[in-house]
Amino acid sequence: MTDQISTPVTDTSLDVLREVEQRVLWLSTAIVDHANRVRPNPTGLKVGGHQASSASITSVMTALWFEHLRPEDRVSVKPHASPVLHAIEYLLGALDERHLTTLRAFGGLQSYPSRTKDPVPADYSTGSVGIGATAPIWGAVSRRYVGGHFTPQASGRQYSLVGDAELDEGAVWEAILDPRVAELGEIVWIVDFNRQSLDRVVPIAGAQRMESLFAAAGWQVITVKYGAALEELFRRPGGDALRERIDTMTNPEYQRLLRHTPDRLRELLPGTGPGAGAIRGLLAGVDDDRLAEVVRALGGHDHAALRQAFHAIDDTRPTVIIAYTVKGYGLPIEGHPQNHSALLTGPQIEELAARVGVSAEVPWQRFTPGSEAAALCADTAERLRRTVTPPATPPAVPTDLGRTPSGTATTQSALGRALLDLNRAAPQAGARVVTVSPDVSSSTNLGGWVNKVGVWSPQEHLDWFADDRETILHWREGPAGQHIELGIAEGNLVGLLGELGATWSRWGEPLLPIGVLYDPFVTRALEPWSFGIYAGGQSILVGTPSGVTLAPEGGAHQSIVTPSIGIEQPGCTTWEPAFALETEWVLLAALGRLGRPGGSSAYLRLSTRPVDQRLAAIPTDPAARERRRRQVVAGGYALRRAPGTPDATIVAVGALVPEALEAAERLEKLGTAVDVLCVVSPDLLFRAVQARRGLDDAPTWILDTLFPADRAAPLVTVLDGHPHTLAFLAGVTGTPATHLGVTAFGQSGDLESVHRAHGIDTDSIIAAVLDHTD
């Protein structure tokens, strides 16, 4: 059953709320103004900021923070409203005054709310369209998972403050429409419905379509369209005609009215329809100041209407509040179609300060002690004070589970086997593992793991096929499960992965999350996963199957660029093992880096190619085995050393190690001595190269192990991915080099034909070596 959440009823004076709102408006506007007009800028480059976007949601954020928010709640603030968030933090005493002059400065307030870089960590990092909006959905799942498996968590609401243009991002709807989301009653979205995008006023409002989409997904929909001033006019004679006139006019026409004088308003607002006369008669009884006020009196700026909406939230299902607002509300630029990045002029800033009752020369004023507004700020700060939960230390993860695989196996199948072995060898660590996949559990060899640990769901579900002997994958759903399966939407998977990977810092309970998806779709998932890492989420992303080695599937399912992506992704270590035991070793190493301060994420690129495990030549001596393990985890090892000085060195990655070994054997028969190196992590080797030049602090010993100076020889590198991934190794040996890999889209075919077509087969490797040695 969904947690029931009661909204505190504070009944704050509406006048005091409006006073606080005006001060928040001033501070947020002044923060941007100082960054652009006051702070020295020798380069003359644009600093930026969003005064209009901040102003449109100031009323909503004031209402939320100063009346409805509780310490157990979490809020994702739309990116362009970061100055409003900082203004509120300042009024509540959480942010020091010295930070208000640092927006977008190096080491200062970030452009967009950040969990890891702002002086007051935001609840959710935002900035990339759609990702911050959906993060609280996955935060809600993570809170429930942690609460059900480990420490019970307070059942706070998860708020998303979203700009209406952000809903153009398709990933938002992927998240909203996932069936599991309808069970999360703690989710509340508030849409800042200002009907403007970056470039223009959006011609068609689209509110009804938006309402229908949310409702169809099982959400409660609350629309806050008009404020009290307009509602009062609607109740007068001619009011029905006025309502219909405003309801049916286009967005640009309405926005243009905001820019007119009262005289022009009286002329244009009635329109030319059958109700025009009644509207003129109604407006005749409204003075100029009142008319200018009521035409912009939308519900998203009316505290009574907002209060009513918050109190109407049904916590048994997700809720969306669509709050009609004016972009730039309360500023001279309000309603202008190009106000997105517009900045107030000096005189306009002075005028705003005078209207709000502050001094532009002393901009960072809090409320006078003893005033009602100051008391509200103090009471709110006390009400929102959170108890800091220190993160628990994650359980130790073993480095080696002691098994030596034999026969033929794939690195993909080794993943599921390693998880089961971990559960047996280290149950405390195994209990912290949670896997996530988008409807590919069986096809990525997670079936055994899923059968063992079950599927997580907030509620128990009956497995109707439990007694069916032909059913291999058993779908036991309940709160104790350790596998979470979403629909086929990679963005959802990595969004959840990021939040599961942040539970150690958000809820004080570390998890060891592993997301599994098809490697060709890593690029689709990369942005939200990267953003999750930026926000402090530590997780493991497994891409499998990978490369053109997945020959029969054709180009649509053959990944090319993912190996180099692993090198380029900050906060992440990438491994591509060649053998089953290597998969176990790097998985355990990756798990050992999760859920802790200073931890990091990992990307594992696995293959479905069956490989004879004898080729790994795992040492039987314990010390020699441990030495091999250390080399594998550090980035690579020598799989074959030629007697004496080699004529060439073949460097192979992952699924192409068998071709490299076969090439070396045939070359030996031709009289060419070849070393074969198995690179497990091009990423770590590149960091070692950078460290040698003083550009990184990574260990460098692995380079000396792989490439001793006395064995320098022409280099041939080969991998099932883009060849530039290993091109940097030529700088290590200082020798001529040839780099083989995949540079074109794949096609269906048998393995030998596809490898030959891309020049990564055994014959191509031999030819490349002979080109250097003949």
Side-chain angles (χ1 to χ4, degrees), residues 504 538 571 592-601:
W504 67 274
Q538 300 169 11
R593 301 180 184 186
L594 299 179
R596 65 192 68 229
S600 62
S601 295

Side-chain angles (χ1 to χ4, degrees), residues 306-332:
L306 290 169
R307 177 183 290 173
Q308 184 177 1
F310 279 110
H311 290 339
I313 292 173
D314 172 9
D315 289 306
T316 65
R317 53 179 172 153
T319 295
V320 60
I321 298 173
I322 300 174
Y324 278 70
T325 60
V326 174
K327 191 165 183 174
Y329 182 75
L331 303 180

Side-chain angles (χ1 to χ4, degrees), residues 166-305:
E166 194 165 7
L167 296 178
D168 290 343
E169 171 54 56
V172 168
W173 296 103
E174 287 183 351
I176 291 168
L177 294 172
D178 191 282
R180 192 175 301 279
V181 173
E183 300 176 320
L184 305 175
E186 62 266 49
I187 295 171
V188 179
W189 282 30
I190 305 173
V191 179
D192 175 12
F193 197 68
N194 60 47
R195 289 142 297 140
Q196 282 190 237
S197 60
L198 189 150
D199 292 325
R200 61 173 182 160
V201 177
V202 179
I204 301 174
Q208 291 182 337
R209 181 180 62 173
M210 187 188 304
E211 292 167 358
S212 299
L213 286 169
F214 275 104
W219 290 49
Q220 176 193 22
V221 180
I222 300 172
T223 300
V224 187
K225 188 168 186 179
Y226 297 121
L230 264 174
E231 291 288 0
E232 192 277 328
L233 271 189
F234 293 157
R235 289 191 290 270
R236 297 184 188 181
D240 289 341
L242 178 61
R243 182 193 293 272
E244 183 179 358
R245 165 76 173 126
I246 296 177
D247 278 346
T248 56
M249 70 172 56
T250 65
N251 292 334
E253 182 181 5
Y254 172 78
Q255 300 281 99
R256 186 66 186 94
L257 290 177
L258 304 179
R259 312 289 300 170
H260 282 307
T261 63
D263 286 343
R264 285 288 286 164
L265 271 176
R266 294 182 191 282
E267 179 184 343
L268 297 173
L269 182 54
T272 58
I279 296 172
R280 288 193 189 92
L282 172 60
L283 299 183
V286 181
D287 63 38
D288 287 352
D289 290 342
R290 180 70 171 163
L291 181 58
E293 174 191 344
V294 297
V295 77
R296 48 186 40 80
L298 298 181
H301 302 299
D302 187 288
H303 286 286

Side-chain angles (χ1 to χ4, degrees), residues 641 644-649 675 706-715 730 732-736:
R641 290 290 192 193
T645 303
D647 298 310
T649 298
D675 283 353
L706 288 173
F707 304 102
D710 60 352
R711 300 191 72 82
L715 204 63
V732 178
T733 60
T735 60

Side-chain angles (χ1 to χ4, degrees), residues 382-725:
E382 183 60 32
R383 169 168 51 85
L384 296 180
R385 195 178 308 281
R386 292 175 179 170
T387 301
V388 178
T389 304
T393 302
V397 177
T399 58
D400 190 337
L401 300 178
R403 238 177 25 92
T404 303
S406 58
T408 299
T410 71
T411 55
Q412 176 180 285
S413 62
L415 172 69
R417 179 59 186 264
L419 289 174
L420 291 171
D421 288 347
L422 174 65
N423 239 8
R424 286 189 287 268
Q428 286 187 321
R432 296 276 171 173
V433 172
V434 53
T435 55
V436 187
S437 69
D439 195 31
V440 293
S441 299
S442 55
S443 59
T444 56
N445 286 104
L446 282 180
W449 165 257
V450 173
N451 286 343
K452 175 68 176 177
V453 302
V455 179
W456 180 83
S457 172
Q459 305 171 32
E460 293 282 352
H461 291 277
L462 180 64
D463 180 5
W464 289 97
F465 290 86
D467 60 346
D468 188 337
R469 294 182 179 180
E470 295 183 5
T471 298
I472 299 175
L473 181 62
H474 298 287
W475 213 250
R476 295 180 291 106
E477 292 185 86
Q482 287 180 245
H483 176 75
I484 303 176
E485 184 140 315
L486 304 174
I488 302 178
E490 286 75 16
N492 287 351
L493 177 140
V494 295
L496 175 56
L497 203 60
E499 287 305 318
L500 291 169
T503 58
W504 67 274
S505 60
R506 193 186 297 285
W507 313 114
E509 290 285 357
L511 295 176
L512 307 179
I514 303 171
V516 183
L517 76 168
Y518 290 163
D519 195 66
F521 307 144
V522 164
T523 49
R524 184 185 301 172
L526 185 63
E527 186 205 2
W529 187 54
S530 176
F531 199 82
I533 295 174
Y534 165 79
Q538 300 169 11
S539 61
I540 298 172
L541 185 65
V542 178
T544 182
S546 63
V548 299
T549 297
L550 188 65
E553 290 286 345
H557 275 183
Q558 295 172 353
S559 54
I560 298 171
V561 300
T562 47
S564 60
I565 283 175
I567 293 179
E568 297 156 10
Q569 175 60 50
C572 164
T573 300
T574 296
W575 286 283
E576 185 170 350
F579 300 103
L581 185 54
E582 294 172 16
T583 304
E584 174 192 301
W585 284 341
V586 299
L587 175 65
L588 295 175
L591 289 170
R593 301 180 184 186
L594 299 179
R596 65 192 68 229
S600 62
S601 295
Y603 163 46
L604 274 56
R605 190 173 190 253
L606 305 183
S607 171
T608 51
R609 184 185 189 182
V611 173
D612 184 349
Q613 298 302 299
R614 293 175 297 180
L615 296 177
I618 302 299
T620 56
D621 180 81
R625 178 186 174 105
E626 172 57 17
R627 179 174 179 269
R628 169 69 69 84
R629 187 201 66 80
R630 288 184 64 246
Q631 291 175 351
V632 165
V633 172
Y637 59 97
L639 187 53
R640 173 190 172 117
R641 290 290 192 193
T645 303
D647 298 310
T649 298
I650 299 174
V651 177
V653 176
L656 293 185
V657 165
E659 277 76 9
L661 289 171
E662 182 183 351
E665 291 177 2
R666 288 171 54 183
L667 285 164
E668 184 179 26
K669 294 176 182 178
L670 296 174
T672 301
V674 176
D675 283 353
V676 177
L677 307 181
C678 179
V679 167
V680 186
S681 176
D683 177 14
L684 290 176
L685 297 190
F686 181 76
R687 294 189 209 178
V689 170
Q690 292 292 88
R692 271 191 176 178
R693 295 175 171 83
L695 301 175
D696 203 322
D697 60 358
T700 62
W701 64 267
I702 189 63
L703 296 178
D704 299 322
T705 301
L706 288 173
F707 304 102
D710 60 352
R711 300 191 72 82
L715 204 63
V716 173
T717 68
V718 60
L719 79 160
D720 190 353
H722 199 281
H724 86 271
T725 306

